[in-house]
Amino acid sequence: MNRAAREFLKGFWSENPIFRLVLGLCPTLAVTTTAENGLGMGLASTFVLVCSNTVIASIRSFIPKKVRIPAFIVTIATFVTIVDLVMNGYFHALHQSLGLFIPLIVVNCIILGRAEAFASKNPVWISIIDGFGMGLGFTVSLMVIGAVRELLGNGTIFGAGMFGDSYLPLLLMIMPPGAFMVLGVLLGLMNKVEIKVAERAGREPLIKKKHDCSSCVMQGKWFDLSSGEEKVEDSG
Amino acid sequence: MREITRLCFVLTLITAVSAGVLAFVSDKTEEPIANALREAKMKAVRQVLPSFDNDLMEDRVFVANEEGDTVEVFRGMKGDSLTGVAFPRVSHEGYSGDINFLIGVNADGIIQGIQILNHSETPGLGAKIQNEDFRQQYRHCSIDSPKVWKVTKDGGRFEPITGATISSRAITGATLEGLKFFRKNYSRITGKRSGNNSMKDGENE
């Protein structure tokens, strides 16, 4: 598998933002009341992620290490505001239903995370691919959580009735506790599947038996502290 | 010291470029946003008014409500007779934030329809106040009928949304308040079509 395909596909499984990295949980828990909201939020985030990755990768040698975080945040906030304005003017109906969540994209740590861990260290083209992969992986995850919650909590998927009128919706699922339950169960299922798949393929599963920092998928790839005071040693 | 200068320079440059880009985008989208907002409002106004053939923007009046805010009242006319009016109303009793909605009544004060303009209620729960099923309950109601303007849980006749009694109560209460506002300012709202000048006066109030 070449590099581009690998960087693109990692967002869907091996480094899925929600289920593997467990990042960006605020929007994940808040917006996934319906599949449609999940899809809209995911696509808006993907747009911001691709744009911010592109800009940050192209000015990465110009930004001094010490002010990189404010520089990234300003860049991200700029794109979020652009999305907010353009959507309000040209896609008013969509903005009405998502309006509340758009400003939330600024504080979505998956976007800052990719800027820090990837775009600030890699060339532009591969950062764009990373942005698309991570963004779409995020979108699919939000949509799946949203679909499950909408189905159980409202008896519909994308607004289409699934169970008929006799179904009494389990309202809890579209309220905050439902978000935690669905996220937890899906995360567990995904780990279970990963262990099975790895066993069959005869490779090490991504989830280690041991529970410390060395078992994290971010180990060695994310938040390289070498520029700071401390170097993270591989303790595994 | 030199490093500090460099850090400041880089950050200033980045924020300046961002500000420039945002100023440009904001300038370009200002008109589409204003158009979209007006279009959305006028669409809601047309939906809650009985049939009319006048220019709604031309014939609107501005009336102060009990909170001292100026309310834009749209008047639907057929020829010279008033068919109905539509006016916005705010409820502060929502589950999260204000609910802005529009009430349409005919000349006798009977509700022709309500439309939610914007709200921050929970998606999937309180947000269902936008559904036709919920809103249509208020059609043909007036200040005297029903006697009890409350949701069924509080002994009234309006069926609240399951799991969103607070939002339903908010709409019910604010709709009644809206009808009271209409009754109280009846002569001002339904008064003879005045010249454009006096209407401008009203706008300044």
Side-chain angles (χ1 to χ4, degrees):
Chain A
M1 215 177 354
N2 67 29
R3 172 128 194 252
R6 209 171 52 231
E7 296 296 358
F8 181 73
L9 289 175
K10 68 173 192 259
F12 292 88
W13 188 265
S14 67
E15 287 184 40
N16 183 291
I18 296 177
F19 295 121
R20 199 67 74 197
L21 304 180
V22 201
L23 279 182
L25 288 194
C26 290
T28 304
L29 296 171
V31 309
T32 52
T33 48
T34 66
E36 193 189 342
N37 278 350
L39 178 68
M41 180 65 178
L43 291 179
S45 303
T46 304
F47 175 80
V48 172
L49 187 54
V50 171
C51 292
S52 78
N53 265 10
T54 311
V55 169
I56 286 162
S58 46
I59 58 170
R60 67 186 189 283
S61 53
F62 170 72
I63 303 175
K65 273 248 146 150
K66 283 184 179 160
V67 292
R68 64 187 196 284
I69 301 291
F72 296 162
I73 286 288
V74 170
T75 312
I76 294 165
T78 306
F79 283 114
V80 171
T81 314
I82 292 175
V83 170
D84 195 30
L85 289 172
V86 170
M87 206 185 247
N88 197 356
Y90 297 99
F91 306 97
H92 195 72
L94 183 64
H95 188 268
Q96 284 281 23
S97 69
L98 277 179
L100 204 60
F101 307 127
I102 301 291
L104 264 180
I105 299 175
V106 181
V107 292
N108 188 339
C109 31
I110 189 67
I111 295 173
L112 184 65
R114 291 328 283 172
E116 166 81 4
F118 200 91
S120 64
K121 296 173 190 154
N122 288 285
V124 176
W125 68 276
I126 199 85
S127 298
I128 295 176
I129 291 170
D130 174 76
F132 269 113
M134 280 291 178
L136 293 177
F138 185 59
T139 308
V140 170
S141 313
L142 285 185
M143 219 169 71
V144 170
I145 300 175
V148 172
R149 291 181 66 192
E150 190 184 342
L151 183 68
L152 297 174
N154 204 23
T156 59
I157 287 184
F158 281 108
M162 288 287 149
F163 296 136
D165 289 339
S166 60
Y167 179 68
L168 195 64
L170 187 58
L171 276 174
L172 181 71
M173 298 316 275
I174 50 176
M175 296 204 274
F180 287 98
M181 290 175 196
V182 173
L183 179 69
V185 169
L186 287 179
L187 210 149
L189 280 178
M190 194 159 154
N191 283 350
K192 187 108 192 142
V193 171
E194 165 62 23
I195 290 169
K196 280 265 154 62
V197 168
E199 219 166 64
R200 200 161 296 166
R203 63 173 165 83
E204 276 287 292
L206 292 163
I207 315 108
K208 311 279 192 322
K209 288 270 160 57
K210 213 167 82 183
H211 291 290
D212 61 15
C213 290
S214 68
S215 61
C216 176
V217 288
M218 292 181 245
Q219 167 71 18
K221 284 184 188 162
W222 281 63
F223 302 107
D224 175 22
L225 300 172
S226 56
S227 63
E229 290 70 43
E230 219 181 318
K231 170 94 183 109
V232 180
E233 293 294 342
D234 194 293
S235 57
Chain B
M1 199 55 207
R2 270 182 60 201
E3 198 197 359
I4 286 259
T5 326
R6 190 166 157 260
L7 297 184
C8 288
F9 173 73
V10 171
L11 264 191
T12 311
L13 192 68
I14 290 174
T15 42
V17 171
S18 295
V21 170
L22 286 181
F24 175 78
V25 174
S26 163
D27 186 56
K28 288 284 166 225
T29 52
E30 200 181 349
E31 218 185 291
I33 291 175
N35 285 340
L37 285 175
R38 193 172 43 230
E39 194 37 56
K41 187 168 78 179
M42 292 317 288
K43 195 177 149 205
V45 168
R46 284 192 291 271
Q47 276 168 352
V48 298
L49 275 183
S51 64
F52 60 90
D53 55 11
N54 60 327
D55 179 352
L56 292 175
M57 291 308 275
E58 183 92 339
D59 285 328
R60 64 194 168 149
V61 288
F62 293 87
V63 182
N65 69 4
E66 64 282 0
E67 286 177 8
D69 298 325
T70 306
V71 179
E72 188 180 19
V73 181
F74 295 93
R75 309 195 294 176
M77 314 259 206
K78 239 184 181 159
D80 259 347
S81 63
L82 187 86
T83 56
V85 304
F87 53 92
R89 192 76 208 169
V90 187
S91 169
H92 308 298
E93 311 292 320
Y95 188 70
S96 52
D98 288 352
I99 305 172
N100 284 291
F101 66 110
L102 201 68
I103 303 174
V105 296
N106 69 7
D108 301 324
I110 293 167
I111 295 182
Q112 302 300 299
I114 65 172
Q115 284 281 339
I116 310 297
L117 294 173
N118 59 61
H119 68 88
S120 336
E121 301 303 289
T122 320
L125 285 172
K128 285 187 184 164
I129 50 174
Q130 295 178 91
N131 290 2
E132 172 71 25
D133 289 357
F134 175 71
R135 287 184 292 109
Q136 57 86 22
Q137 301 184 73
Y138 298 92
R139 284 194 75 174
H140 309 306
C141 291
S142 72
I143 197 162
D144 305 310
S145 145
K147 279 274 174 292
V148 187
W149 267 85
K150 283 190 171 146
V151 295
T152 46
K153 232 179 194 169
D154 304 331
R157 59 160 261 199
F158 299 105
E159 197 70 53
I161 293 153
T162 321
T165 315
I166 294 177
S167 315
S168 314
R169 267 188 201 131
I171 294 292
T172 308
T175 306
L176 178 63
E177 289 305 312
L179 291 176
K180 285 181 186 161
F181 160 81
F182 176 74
R183 175 170 280 184
K184 197 171 150 216
N185 298 287
Y186 185 79
S187 54
R188 177 103 176 83
I189 292 172
T190 58
K192 272 270 172 244
R193 189 180 346 198
S194 37
N196 276 336
N197 285 336
S198 65
M199 220 158 299
K200 288 229 174 69
D201 290 344
E203 197 164 357
N204 292 332
E205 268 170 19

